[in-house]
């Protein structure tokens, strides 16, 4: 597997053209909404400019920096030169399912190997068993056998599934270094196999811990509005037709679908937003997220919960670059949802000739 290279520093001209990165938009507390989201190249012909509309809702940036937690589902095998003892155990494993106990024991051994190498590299970690009486310690990394992957514990080539859960990480200027270090350690000691059954989940919370009721309403509206677009950003293996672990928030079995189906995609949005505005905290969550197996899982944000919102659509990742991409996207989406009123955006959609040519960024230029 090729090593991860940090991108070379662009020239001043290229940097000016590129504009702010998605990661910087995610947690920069000093930007203004209008300047950070405006395209750097404003020299656009008036004939090509889209109609403008003010969607912003002025509000303080007291919710950032965000905090996040990441859940990495992986199919891994210890490298023989790093773990010679584990290689001996692997050679002794049956090549079929004749000894389920041996295979499960070896799977547990791999989880301990992951925890040990992280600890040795200054990243506190332990193996967490779902049957443990105590809740996981989210101040540390921990390794578990994910239920959605456990059926794959019998593999003839001795790759085994694990899930590594990060501690709560503050998304300040150093968060990318934490992700880089984690993947550097994993790739040094283990082989990874790409597998479509693997997913990557990101929990996002505000610096206050909980989202306010108004922020939750804004987030719920944004998820309903942008669900088709966020679905198209992910591979087929993460779509509703293939998987039941990250289903759409606007499917037929979700309450909000009733008005979207009966009133139509645009008029239904207005009705759905009106319903969201009348709901309390827990009712909003039930309205768009009846269970946790949704693309955007709002259940932890219920009264008495941890306060986060979980993005479950991303596919499994096998390097730091893709992990940082999806983490930054999730934070940026939440930031966009809190800052921009999708109700005004929905009204503006009625004036657009084609949904396929509509650009959210084009109407934010000015």
């Amino acid at each position: 597997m090729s090593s991860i290279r940090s991108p070379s520093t662009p020239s001043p001209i290229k940097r000016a053209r590129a504009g702010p990165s998605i990661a910087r938009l995610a947690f920069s507390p000093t930007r203004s909404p209008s300047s950070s989201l405006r395209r750097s190249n404003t020299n656009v012909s008036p004939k090509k400019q889209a109609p403008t509309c003010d969607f912003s809702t002025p509000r303080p940036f007291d919710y950032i920096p965000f905090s996040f937690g990441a859940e990495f589902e992986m199919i891994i095998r210890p490298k023989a030169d790093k773990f010679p003892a584990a290689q001996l155990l692997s050679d002794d494993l049956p090549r079929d399912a004749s000894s389920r106990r041996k295979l499960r024991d070896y799977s547990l051994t791999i989880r301990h190997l992951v925890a040990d190498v992280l600890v040795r590299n200054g990243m506190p970690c332990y193996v967490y068993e779902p049957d443990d009486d105590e809740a996981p310690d989210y101040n540390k990394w921990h390794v578990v056998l994910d239920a959605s992957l456990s059926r794959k514990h019998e593999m003839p080539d001795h790759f085994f599934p694990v899930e590594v859960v990060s501690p709560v990480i503050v998304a300040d200027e150093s968060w990318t270094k934490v992700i880089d270090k984690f993947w550097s350690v994993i790739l040094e000691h283990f082989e990874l196999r790409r597998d479509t059954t693997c997913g990557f989940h990101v929990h996002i919370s505000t610096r206050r811990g909980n989202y306010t009721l108004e922020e939750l309403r804004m987030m719920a509206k944004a998820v309903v509005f942008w669900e088709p677009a966020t679905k198209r950003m992910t591979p087929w293996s993460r779509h509703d037709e293939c998987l039941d672990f990250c289903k759409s928030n606007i499917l037929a079995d979700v309450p909000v679908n009733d008005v979207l189906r009966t009133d139509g995609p645009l008029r239904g949005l207005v009705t759905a937003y009106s319903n969201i505005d009348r709901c309390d905290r827990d009712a909003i969550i039930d309205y768009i997220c009846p269970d946790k197996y949704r693309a955007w899982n709002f259940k932890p944000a219920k009264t008495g919960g941890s306060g986060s919102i979980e993005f479950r659509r991303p596919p499994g990742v096998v390097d730091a670059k893709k992990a940082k991409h999806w983490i930054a996207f999730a934070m940026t989406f939440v930031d966009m949802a809190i800052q921009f009123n999708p109700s005004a955006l929905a009204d503006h959609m009625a004036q657009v000739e084609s949904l396929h040519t509509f650009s959210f960024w084009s109407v934010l230029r000015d």
Side-chain angles (χ1 to χ4, degrees):
M1 186 173 297
S2 59
S3 59
I4 303 171
R5 295 184 179 179
S6 58
S8 59
T9 304
S11 66
I13 294 177
K14 290 184 178 179
R15 181 174 296 175
R17 293 178 65 188
S21 68
I22 191 171
R24 290 181 61 189
L25 290 179
F27 59 78
S28 174
T30 58
R31 76 196 192 292
S32 67
S34 60
S35 63
S36 65
L37 292 174
R38 188 184 298 125
R39 292 182 181 268
S40 58
N41 183 7
T42 58
N43 187 20
V44 180
S45 170
K47 294 182 180 180
K48 295 182 180 181
Q49 277 188 318
T52 58
C53 181
D54 182 16
F55 306 117
S56 61
T57 303
R59 49 183 88 243
F61 289 98
D62 60 344
Y63 58 87
I64 53 178
F66 290 115
S67 294
F68 70 89
E71 301 173 4
F72 302 93
E73 296 178 357
M74 299 181 285
I75 307 294
I76 66 174
R77 180 171 65 186
K79 290 185 176 180
D81 60 330
K82 297 293 183 180
F83 303 101
Q87 182 63 38
L88 292 175
L89 289 175
S90 175
D91 292 341
D92 189 47
L93 287 175
R95 298 297 167 179
D96 52 32
S98 60
S99 178
R100 183 181 295 259
R101 177 62 182 271
K102 278 189 175 183
L103 291 167
R104 287 187 178 275
D105 288 347
Y106 184 68
S107 176
L108 179 61
T109 298
I110 291 183
R111 279 175 272 157
H112 279 286
L113 291 179
V114 173
D116 290 344
V117 297
L118 291 176
V119 169
R120 291 203 307 270
N121 284 273
M123 308 175 77
C125 183
Y126 69 101
V127 175
Y128 177 76
E129 293 293 343
D131 296 333
D132 290 351
D133 294 332
E134 297 182 359
D137 181 358
Y138 289 107
N139 293 312
K140 300 178 180 179
W141 295 82
H142 59 275
V143 190
V144 300
L145 179 63
D146 184 79
S148 65
L149 298 174
S150 60
R151 67 183 182 276
K152 300 181 72 66
H153 66 83
E154 297 168 353
M155 297 186 177
D157 51 4
H158 300 151
F159 278 86
F160 281 80
V162 299
E163 179 179 340
V164 184
V165 182
S166 79
V168 176
I169 300 171
V170 178
D172 55 19
E173 65 278 1
S174 64
W175 74 267
T176 56
K177 296 178 182 178
V178 177
I179 302 301
D180 285 336
K181 182 177 181 180
F182 167 76
W183 277 104
S184 175
V185 172
I186 292 297
L187 293 176
E188 179 184 355
H189 294 85
F190 299 93
E191 299 175 65
L192 274 75
R193 187 170 71 186
R194 298 178 184 272
D195 196 292
T196 57
T197 63
C198 292
F200 177 44
H201 307 158
V202 185
H203 290 257
I204 306 294
S205 59
T206 68
R207 68 181 299 176
R208 293 182 251 97
N210 282 315
Y211 294 90
T212 66
L213 180 57
E214 181 59 24
E215 289 169 352
L216 199 66
R217 284 181 175 141
M218 295 283 280
M219 183 65 186
K221 293 175 183 179
V223 165
V224 171
F225 186 89
W226 292 108
E227 167 60 18
T230 55
K231 176 183 176 181
R232 289 196 298 270
M233 289 175 57
T234 57
W236 180 263
S237 61
R238 305 300 291 176
H239 290 188
D240 311 311
E241 297 84 354
C242 296
L243 203 63
D244 290 332
F245 295 111
C246 52
K247 296 178 290 186
S248 170
N249 291 83
I250 58 174
L251 277 178
D253 59 342
V254 182
V256 70
N257 178 267
D258 292 341
V259 295
L260 297 177
R261 185 179 65 254
T262 57
D263 293 357
L266 295 180
R267 197 176 303 158
L269 282 174
V270 176
T271 305
Y273 291 166
S274 177
N275 292 340
I276 289 172
D277 285 334
R278 292 196 300 269
C279 288
D280 62 20
R281 185 180 199 87
D282 291 354
I284 291 171
I285 294 173
D286 291 336
Y287 188 56
I288 65 166
C289 183
D291 56 70
K292 73 175 186 178
Y293 300 111
R294 300 291 157 176
W296 292 93
N297 172 25
F298 282 69
K299 290 300 184 182
K302 272 198 163 185
T303 304
S306 64
S308 67
I309 294 175
E310 179 188 19
F311 185 41
R312 298 175 58 90
R313 275 279 192 210
V317 295
V318 293
D319 57 40
K321 180 180 178 180
K322 289 297 179 70
K324 290 184 292 186
H325 166 86
W326 286 113
I327 294 168
F329 170 81
M331 289 191 289
T332 306
F333 185 95
V334 175
D335 187 28
M336 182 260 316
I338 292 174
Q339 286 297 319
F340 295 96
N341 186 352
S343 298
L345 193 58
D347 294 338
H348 183 70
M349 290 291 289
Q351 306 172 22
V352 178
E353 294 181 1
S354 171
L355 294 180
H356 298 288
T357 59
F358 176 75
S359 169
F360 175 70
W361 299 111
S362 68
V363 297
L364 290 176
R365 281 191 196 125
D366 297 331

